[in-house]
Amino acid sequence: SQGRLVDALAHYGRALDLFRRSGARREAATALANLGNRHLERGALGEAEDHLSQALAMFRELDELRLQAHTLGDLGVLYTEQARFADAERALHHAIELSERVGDRHWPGILAGFVGDLELQRDSPENPRDRSRYPTARLPEIGARRYAALFGAAVAGTEALRGRSVRAEELLEHARCELGAT
């Protein structure tokens, strides 16, 4: 949260080692997922994929559906970054399915936003799809204002590409307000 990724990586690495030595598999898988996410944040996509894949395998062994859904969502974001769009789509839709199966109200809304990002990345800049139905409206209601801002900014980018600069500015201002409310 403080942006100290190097420290976070060191602490998660130490935690992973301790969890593995003590036999705490669920906690070890969680540490792996956190390591994967920190690597994803810093753009180390290979390391992120390695850690997230290991975490997903462990969550599957432990039959932790909610944590599988979160990890699959993170992998979907990673695959989108790598332009592996078919893999991203499969991961994100499976994550939504698992989240809904366990009754999670929060994560499916965020995942729908990541699906929108995937579609945006897959589109050509010359012919972006209309993002007016991008799933941001529900996010503030479920306490996901940061994601609402993130996805709102993506919609603004699409609007700017479509030549709708006034609408793009409105959406960016709304995203700024959402960030100010977090």
Side-chain angles (χ1 to χ4, degrees):
S1 296
Q2 296 174 349
R4 296 169 41 201
L5 288 179
V6 173
D7 291 339
L9 287 167
H11 289 297
Y12 281 128
R14 178 77 175 123
L16 175 60
D17 181 52
L18 292 171
F19 290 138
R20 282 181 169 160
R21 285 194 286 162
S22 70
R25 292 190 44 76
R26 182 182 185 278
E27 290 78 8
T30 300
L32 280 165
N34 283 317
L35 279 165
N37 277 305
R38 299 306 70 81
H39 284 299
L40 182 58
E41 286 176 15
R42 60 187 271 272
L45 302 183
E47 290 154 308
E49 184 173 6
D50 182 51
H51 286 95
L52 290 170
S53 295
Q54 287 181 55
L56 180 60
M58 291 175 74
F59 289 138
R60 283 182 173 150
E61 289 172 14
L62 296 166
D63 200 31
E64 288 279 357
L65 298 181
R66 186 181 64 79
L67 295 172
Q68 285 179 52
H70 279 261
T71 308
L72 279 164
D74 297 334
L75 281 165
V77 171
L78 172 94
Y79 297 149
T80 300
E81 288 289 316
Q82 295 173 324
R84 294 169 52 190
F85 300 129
D87 292 334
E89 188 170 28
R90 274 191 299 279
L92 291 169
H93 285 292
H94 190 202
I96 291 170
E97 174 195 326
L98 289 175
S99 293
E100 290 174 345
R101 190 182 322 164
V102 298
D104 188 334
R105 289 186 46 239
H106 185 83
W107 194 231
I110 294 169
L111 290 167
F114 288 136
V115 169
D117 273 349
L118 162 66
E119 292 172 359
L120 187 63
Q121 293 293 322
R122 194 172 18 203
D123 286 349
S124 71
E126 301 80 31
N127 189 25
R129 286 187 229 173
D130 184 4
R131 290 284 164 239
S132 60
R133 294 179 23 170
Y134 205 87
T136 58
R138 270 188 33 211
L139 295 175
E141 297 168 16
I142 60 172
R145 295 183 108 71
R146 190 179 116 226
Y147 286 104
L150 172 73
F151 300 137
V155 175
T158 299
E159 291 298 299
L161 287 171
R162 295 174 74 83
R164 300 175 184 165
S165 60
V166 172
R167 179 68 179 138
E169 284 295 327
E170 290 170 357
L171 290 166
L172 282 174
E173 183 56 33
H174 183 72
R176 281 187 208 100
C177 290
E178 289 294 339
L179 284 175
T182 59

